């Protein structure tokens, strides 16, 4: 079956009983979500998003706002985190002297119709030493799914990104932003539109500079899209995952397969239709202006079948057009979901980039 997803043509593969990706198997996604608990927070008027956060306040240790049951933390969204709100585990920074510089905090934005659980390995790694925030975009993951078409407009999604960055960073303590796929476009648009956003640098995974147009597929009725959903999801996996991953030869690869399939199956096609019909990207000049102002790194899967490596190289070129400080890396043996397929290598590249960004003390924060 030939189908279009995210503006890229691919051959969709029908699921068959007994496939590794079969949804009849026990839910891996549910187990992962249990380790990455969230709070649904109003980040701007009328907009609520699911957020997983682990606050490393250096002298106060790590505070995982998702770890405690909601009934144990009344008015958490309105009150300042304090030592009494410490998490259940310490970080490597827990004994730092108060007021000394700490590692730059980092916030993760997933790609189109994805989920923050796709950052599972990055959250586990970086939360040991720094504050980590991960966000579910409106309608995705565990965020609310409004019926309003305009809820998924490009402008609204960009405004959500800006509001979230403003919430967790400030001019004295900027935050590093890590984004994936279409999330890169939203982040670039937000930063270009508002240069005052407290951003220390951008790490863009599987991103692109050229806006991807919406294929006529997403003009079909939602009922038809829902009927095709399993086939579309399998087709997405055939391009977004490396052949080695799809073969499921290791427990890690089988887990990635299952999570990918379950994230796709959980998406509402009405949301997907509204999302893709309105998705665009920032002008190339805006991307160049961002690259000239902020340190950036572009990381891509060397064998990305969904967003070919050449498109990520083009993004790197756009960021560097006005003398920007952009780096470019390709991760061998990975496709579009590189952060899931080779987390060790991706974490190593991200670590190097984050260490290159000036560290500042991370103050008490509000969720």
């Amino acid at each position: 079956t030939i189908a279009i997803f995210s503006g890229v043509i691919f051959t969709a593969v029908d699921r068959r009983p007994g496939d590794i990706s079969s949804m009849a198997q026990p839910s891996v996604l549910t187990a992962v979500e249990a380790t990455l608990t969230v709070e649904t927070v109003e980040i701007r008027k009328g907009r609520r998003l699911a957020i997983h956060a682990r606050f490393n306040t250096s002298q106060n240790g790590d505070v995982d706002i998702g770890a405690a049951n909601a009934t144990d933390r009344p008015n958490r969204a309105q009150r300042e985190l304090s030592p009494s709100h410490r998490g259940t585990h310490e970080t490597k920074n827990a004994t730092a002297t108060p007021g000394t510089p700490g590692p730059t905090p980092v916030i993760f934005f997933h790609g189109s119709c994805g989920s923050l659980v796709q950052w599972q390995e990055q959250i586990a790694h970086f939360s040991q030493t720094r504050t980590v925030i991960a966000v579910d975009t409106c309608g995705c993951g565990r965020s609310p799914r409004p019926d309003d078409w305009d809820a998924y407009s490009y402008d609204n999604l960009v405004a959500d990104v800006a509001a979230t960055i403003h919430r967790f960073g400030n001019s004295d303590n900027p935050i590093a932003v890590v984004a994936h796929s279409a999330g890169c476009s939203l982040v670039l648009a937000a930063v270009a539109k508002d240069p005052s956003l407290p951003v220390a640098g951008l790490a863009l995974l599987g991103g692109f500079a050229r806006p991807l147009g919406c294929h006529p597929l997403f003009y079909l009725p939602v009922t038809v899209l829902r009927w095709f959903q399993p086939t579309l999801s399998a087709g997405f996996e055939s391009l977004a995952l490396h052949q080695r991953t799809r073969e499921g030869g290791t427990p890690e690869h089988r887990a990635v397969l299952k999570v990918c399939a379950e994230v796709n199956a959980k998406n509402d096609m009405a949301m997907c239709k509204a999302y893709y019909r309105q998705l665009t990207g920032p002008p190339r000049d805006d991307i160049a202006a961002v690259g000239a102002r902020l340190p950036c790194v572009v990381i891509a899967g060397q064998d990305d079948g969904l967003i070919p490596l050449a498109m990520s190289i083009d993004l790197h070129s756009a960021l560097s057009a006005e003398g920007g400080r952009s780096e470019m890396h390709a991760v061998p043996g990975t496709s579009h979901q590189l952060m899931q397929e080779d987390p060790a290598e991706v974490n190593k590249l991200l670590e190097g980039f984050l260490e290159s960004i000036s560290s500042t003390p991370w103050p008490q924060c509000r969720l």
Side-chain angles (χ1 to χ4, degrees), residues 120-199:
Q120 177 190 12
E121 297 297 333
Q122 286 68 48
I123 294 170
H125 176 77
F126 289 104
S127 64
Q128 297 180 61
T129 56
R130 67 186 70 234
T131 288
V132 170
I133 313 292
V135 185
D136 273 334
T137 302
C138 179
C140 300
R142 287 166 284 178
S143 283
R145 300 180 179 183
D147 295 328
D148 181 19
W149 177 272
D150 188 58
Y152 307 101
S153 72
Y154 177 72
D155 287 345
N156 264 324
L157 297 179
V158 170
D160 287 347
V161 168
T164 307
I165 293 173
H166 267 305
R167 188 177 198 97
F168 294 105
N170 58 60
S171 59
D172 294 325
N173 298 277
I175 193 166
V177 179
V178 181
H180 179 236
S181 193
C184 299
S185 296
L186 298 176
V187 165
L188 285 166
V191 175
K193 184 177 181 179
D194 184 1
S196 72
L197 281 178
V199 175

Side-chain angles (χ1 to χ4, degrees), residues 83-310:
S84 63
H85 304 142
R86 294 175 61 171
T88 57
H89 63 280
E90 298 296 316
T91 70
K92 295 177 182 178
N93 255 29
T95 58
T97 303
T100 58
T104 303
V106 60
I107 186 166
F108 293 94
F109 292 98
H110 61 71
S112 61
C113 304
S115 168
L116 66 82
V117 301
Q118 294 167 328
W119 298 110
Q120 177 190 12
E121 297 297 333
Q122 286 68 48
I123 294 170
H125 176 77
F126 289 104
S127 64
Q128 297 180 61
T129 56
R130 67 186 70 234
T131 288
V132 170
I133 313 292
V135 185
D136 273 334
T137 302
C138 179
C140 300
R142 287 166 284 178
S143 283
R145 300 180 179 183
D147 295 328
D148 181 19
W149 177 272
D150 188 58
Y152 307 101
S153 72
Y154 177 72
D155 287 345
N156 264 324
L157 297 179
V158 170
D160 287 347
V161 168
T164 307
I165 293 173
H166 267 305
R167 188 177 198 97
F168 294 105
N170 58 60
S171 59
D172 294 325
N173 298 277
I175 193 166
V177 179
V178 181
H180 179 236
S181 193
C184 299
S185 296
L186 298 176
V187 165
L188 285 166
V191 175
K193 184 177 181 179
D194 184 1
S196 72
L197 281 178
V199 175
L202 302 178
L204 307 171
L205 280 62
F208 45 87
R210 179 178 58 84
L212 298 175
C214 179
H215 190 268
L217 172 72
F218 290 102
Y219 287 83
L220 293 173
V222 171
T223 52
V224 176
L225 289 173
R226 286 173 177 159
W227 187 76
F228 274 115
Q229 187 169 1
T231 299
L232 296 177
S233 296
F236 169 80
E237 294 157 27
S238 73
L239 288 185
L241 299 176
H242 193 273
Q243 180 180 349
R244 184 176 61 183
T245 304
R246 299 197 309 273
E247 290 172 353
T250 68
E252 291 78 14
H253 288 157
R254 290 192 289 273
V256 171
L257 274 169
K258 290 180 181 179
V259 168
C260 187
E262 291 186 50
V263 167
N264 287 336
K266 191 175 179 180
N267 282 329
D268 179 24
M269 292 309 291
M271 177 274 294
C272 293
K273 178 177 179 176
Y275 186 105
Y276 286 117
R277 285 271 294 273
Q278 301 177 84
L279 183 64
T280 181
R284 197 174 185 89
D285 287 348
D286 285 359
I287 296 175
V290 170
R293 183 162 51 86
L294 292 172
C296 300
V297 62
V298 177
I299 307 175
Q302 186 168 306
D303 301 309
D304 194 330
L306 194 63
I307 303 297
L309 178 59

Side-chain angles (χ1 to χ4, degrees), residues 1-4 9-14 217 227-228 231-232 234-235 238:
T1 302
I2 301 297
I4 307 293
I9 300 179
F10 62 83
T11 302
V13 182
D14 291 326
L217 172 72
W227 187 76
F228 274 115
T231 299
L232 296 177
S238 73

